[in-house]
Amino acid sequence: MSMFDYDARPVTPGVVLVGTRASHGAYAIRDFLSRNGYPFEWVDVDRADAVAAVLAGAGVDPSALPLCILPDGSRLPCATVEQVAAGLGMIAAPSRSEYDLMIVGAGPAGLAAAVNAASEGLRTVVMEAVAPGGQAGTTSMIENLLGFPNGISGSELATRAVVQARRFGAELLLARPLVGVSPDGLGHVAELSDGTLIRGRGVLFASGVEWRRLDVPGVDDLLGAGVYYGAGPSEALACTDSRVVVVGGGNSAGQAVVRFSRYAQQVTLLVRGRDLGASMSHYLIDQVTAIPNIEVRVRTQVVGIEADDRLRAVIVRSGDATEPAWLPVDALFICIGGAPRTDGAAGSGLVTNTAGYLVTGSEVAREPGIDWPLRREPLPLETSRPGVFAAGDVRYGSVKRCAAAIGEGSMAVALVHRRLAEVGGG
Amino acid sequence: MADQQVVAHPDAAASAEFARVPSDERIAKAAAALERNGIRPLLAATGADARGLVGSLLTDGAEVYNNTSQTLEAIGVADDIERSGRYQPLRLRLYRMDREMQAREMRTLAASPDYVVGSVHALTENGSLLIASASGSQLGPLASGAGHVILVIGAQKIVSDVATGMRRIYEYCYPLEDARARRAYGVPSGVNNILIINKVIIPGRVTAIIVSERLGF
């Protein structure tokens, strides 16, 4: 018995990751571990004492970075996310030969669908490329979700939802992106990136959105080296006493600046629009404007960056100013909305709008040249292929809010039931 | 307690008195006393046996908090809880939370697990359990917050009475724990809070597994 439960850290060994802060690959692994809730120790290769401590005095070959040491002591040189996921036992084969419902994506919409489908007895599998929680999973605090008067973090919401879905018997297949979904008789067959094939009678795309890229030269070269998309849950502590810039005007940007204000010396929010009211919830605007170390600059865009081995400054242009301004910064977080994650859907021939969002319901019939095969109209949330549904942020016309995604995911299950009754087969 | 004083080791007399596994009769006496006090006693010959007993008591899928414990680490129970995938290990959930933004969530989650698994610093022959804590965070769930409490106790922790148990804490456990805390966290420990469980009212809530081996301190 210890007298000191100092910070509730796990007592068993975690993952150790050795690399350079500027490495894209190392950042991808940090982000993956962080979003999946795996404890890890980050060791910057420049810290010789720390490297010696984790490698028992041995040096490290720079060509072997990033080096990942798993809890069982095995080492993965030049580690990739896929190797780390496999090494941690996260890759599981589907347990059934066929499911009633295959759900693509484990964000709020996908997990809500999984809980509802499994609780009603549907054989349910969820396929998730990165980590449960989706875009909401990186949100530090959601304060307007019904039933959580003190707010709940996106990661905790996802953790609870995963537990709930599994308790009802839903299966989760993690860390492998979907390649595509093809028709298979009256059902469908999904293929994952590692070649795993999964058969299902119904499909729900709840694959959400990924962060839209900031179209400024050089930005993506610094990913993980001062530039991050989203609120970067693995990076918050590293921002202690630093200067942080967040780009974006939505709730994700608002939640990010509130969080970073607790750690950083100064947080600057850059908003392209005239004010925050257009896309940020009122409660967040109140918080953002009341925190003294947050500065909001509206009508402001990033037009360039200055960097050596990592980001040093962003160059911004504000309002009617003729000259750009130079803003020294340690970390830049980009939260400028989403682009639909439809990799597996687009290749499957499902109809999307010009921005790439999946078209559903009555909108399907309005698409030119659509070849809808049934006598009935598409059901609400049904895509251009019968039995394939879409819910949440990936769906054209959806409301980009966590509660709305949960509602759509839950609603989709009732529609899946109707489709399954239509095709029969038990 | 002299919190800032570095005490690396207990003295030889304390080690001799408090690190010895007692006779089977004395273990049986303590177990019988625990039962009279509403605490379910289980006896294990080895740490491996105790590990199996803990596994049989925990429910799959339950929220389990494993207290920081040399005993649990030594016999593999900490690993079972955090890594087996059978349970919801609360330490991993707490670890991923933001200390600034989610302090309230963390407090709530840690305070009321389905199961807390830990150990004690002393068990008296009359069936009282003594647990000291620097932060106090472990004591609330043990006393009432957790749904079920499972304690794994190396038999060397059996003492004659509460007064001797207090001496065990100050003279033996504290120096060892202080050295561990300095190594692990870079801060001193302290006997800042002490919980004494004399009797448990809710039948079956607390199980004490006494192991006939020297485990932890």
Side-chain angles (χ1 to χ4, degrees):
Chain A
M1 184 75 184
S2 162
M3 295 180 191
F4 214 115
D5 229 346
Y6 186 63
D7 58 0
R9 76 179 76 171
V11 296
T12 51
V15 172
V16 178
L17 185 62
V18 184
T20 60
R21 192 44 84 167
S23 158
H24 292 197
Y27 170 67
I29 296 171
R30 287 204 308 272
D31 187 56
F32 175 79
L33 291 170
S34 174
R35 290 174 63 184
N36 278 284
Y38 261 91
F40 68 96
E41 180 185 354
W42 165 251
V43 177
D44 197 305
V45 75
D46 292 337
R47 288 177 49 222
D49 55 335
V51 173
V54 297
L55 295 178
V60 60
D61 175 4
S63 68
L65 299 177
L67 172 68
C68 186
I69 306 170
L70 297 174
D72 65 2
S74 58
R75 296 181 180 186
L76 300 173
C78 304
T80 64
V81 167
E82 290 76 16
Q83 290 170 338
V84 172
L88 291 172
M90 296 174 69
I91 308 294
S95 69
R96 297 176 185 272
S97 58
E98 186 188 59
Y99 294 85
D100 295 317
L101 179 59
M102 301 188 292
I103 299 167
V104 184
L111 290 171
V115 167
N116 282 276
S119 68
E120 291 172 20
L122 295 184
R123 297 168 300 165
T124 304
V125 63
V126 185
M127 300 167 277
E128 168 54 50
V130 185
Q135 201 177 40
T138 63
T139 299
S140 56
M141 190 60 75
I142 306 166
E143 295 192 51
N144 57 358
L145 191 61
L146 185 70
F148 297 93
N150 296 297
I152 184 168
S153 67
S155 63
E156 178 63 7
L157 180 68
T159 300
R160 294 185 191 195
V162 166
V163 169
Q164 197 173 10
R166 284 186 166 140
R167 189 161 67 82
F168 285 121
E171 219 172 299
L172 266 79
L173 302 178
L174 297 171
R176 281 159 292 177
L178 176 76
V179 174
V181 176
S182 319
D184 181 39
L186 288 173
H188 316 269
V189 61
E191 182 179 359
L192 302 183
S193 59
D194 64 351
T196 301
L197 297 176
I198 308 152
R199 294 166 55 84
R201 299 170 67 213
V203 181
L204 174 67
F205 274 94
S207 41
V209 293
E210 58 192 2
W211 295 105
R212 191 182 303 150
R213 299 282 143 174
L214 182 64
D215 189 18
V216 170
V219 160
D220 282 354
D221 294 336
L222 290 170
L223 194 57
V227 173
Y228 309 93
Y229 283 96
S234 64
E235 310 304 318
L237 275 175
C239 291
T240 301
D241 297 330
S242 62
R243 296 158 301 184
V244 171
V245 168
V246 176
V247 184
N251 279 3
S252 296
Q255 285 151 351
V257 293
V258 170
R259 179 186 206 187
F260 291 134
S261 72
R262 307 285 187 103
Y263 296 96
Q265 175 196 99
Q266 175 67 35
V267 183
T268 306
L269 178 62
L270 305 180
V271 184
R272 193 173 53 177
R274 291 184 168 276
D275 58 53
L276 291 175
S279 51
M280 193 180 290
S281 293
H282 185 73
Y283 82 90
L284 268 173
I285 297 173
D286 286 348
Q287 288 184 26
V288 166
T289 51
I291 296 173
N293 65 335
I294 295 177
E295 179 194 7
V296 180
R297 295 193 186 188
V298 296
R299 297 177 66 204
T300 302
Q301 288 180 266
V302 177
V303 295
I305 56 170
E306 197 171 286
D308 39 41
D309 61 333
R310 61 175 296 121
L311 181 69
R312 299 297 172 192
V314 295
I315 301 160
V316 300
R317 191 184 293 279
S318 296
D320 301 323
T322 52
E323 292 298 317
W326 188 81
L327 197 60
V329 62
D330 301 300
L332 171 67
F333 292 89
I334 302 162
C335 307
I336 54 173
R341 282 175 61 190
T342 54
D343 294 350
S348 306
L350 303 179
V351 173
T352 61
N353 75 344
T354 51
Y357 290 91
L358 289 170
V359 175
T360 57
S362 57
E363 298 284 343
V364 169
R366 292 187 200 144
E367 288 293 315
I370 186 74
D371 183 22
W372 177 252
L374 303 182
R375 294 181 65 174
R376 66 161 173 81
E377 295 293 306
L379 298 169
L381 308 186
E382 195 168 29
T383 67
S384 55
R385 187 187 303 164
V388 178
F389 297 82
D393 287 2
V394 75
R395 190 181 71 79
Y396 170 58
S398 63
V399 177
K400 303 295 185 282
R401 288 285 186 267
C402 183
I406 291 169
E408 286 193 7
S410 308
M411 170 185 166
V413 175
L415 302 168
V416 168
H417 272 299
R418 282 168 65 177
R419 171 62 182 170
L420 295 183
E422 186 175 67
V423 297
Chain B
M1 201 68 205
D3 301 296
Q4 303 306 316
Q5 183 187 346
V6 180
V7 185
H9 299 289
D11 64 29
S15 294
E17 181 180 1
F18 295 124
R20 205 172 40 223
V21 175
S23 66
D24 289 347
E25 290 72 25
R26 202 171 179 211
I27 293 173
K29 185 178 176 187
L34 284 171
E35 192 150 33
R36 284 197 300 277
N37 293 343
I39 297 163
R40 180 187 178 196
L42 295 175
L43 299 180
T46 65
D49 293 343
R51 181 183 187 177
L53 284 173
V54 173
S56 70
L57 293 169
L58 293 172
T59 308
D60 283 5
E63 288 183 345
V64 184
Y65 191 94
N66 51 308
N67 283 340
T68 309
S69 162
Q70 301 292 295
T71 301
L72 299 188
E73 287 179 53
I75 66 175
V77 167
D79 202 58
D80 291 344
I81 293 170
E82 293 186 3
R83 305 284 169 200
S84 70
R86 284 182 57 193
Y87 320 108
Q88 295 180 60
L90 290 185
R91 295 187 84 91
L92 299 191
R93 264 167 87 174
L94 291 163
Y95 172 80
R96 69 197 282 185
M97 290 185 170
D98 187 313
R99 271 79 183 134
E100 287 290 326
M101 297 292 289
Q102 296 169 259
R104 188 183 187 284
E105 243 174 310
M106 293 180 69
R107 218 171 54 239
T108 308
L109 199 57
S112 56
D114 293 332
Y115 289 86
V116 63
V117 185
S119 188
V120 305
H121 292 111
L123 158 61
T124 73
E125 288 178 7
N126 285 329
S128 291
L129 298 165
L130 281 71
I131 306 122
S133 173
S135 69
S137 65
Q138 300 183 355
L139 304 186
L142 290 174
S144 71
H148 298 275
V149 176
I150 301 171
L151 301 167
V152 183
I153 306 167
Q156 87 280 7
K157 296 182 180 181
I158 295 175
V159 295
S160 55
D161 51 29
V162 169
T164 313
M166 296 293 273
R167 259 199 327 107
R168 186 175 196 279
I169 288 173
Y170 281 96
E171 295 175 15
Y172 182 71
C173 306
Y174 167 68
L176 291 170
E177 170 59 13
D178 186 59
R180 190 198 71 81
R182 288 170 194 270
R183 280 195 308 273
Y185 315 120
V187 294
S189 189
V191 186
N192 301 332
N193 310 268
I194 295 176
L195 172 67
I196 301 175
I197 301 175
N198 289 327
K199 195 175 269 295
V200 172
I201 292 171
I202 302 171
R205 180 175 174 270
V206 180
T207 301
I209 301 171
I210 307 176
V211 190
S212 300
E213 282 182 352
R214 183 179 160 190
L215 287 174
F217 52 80

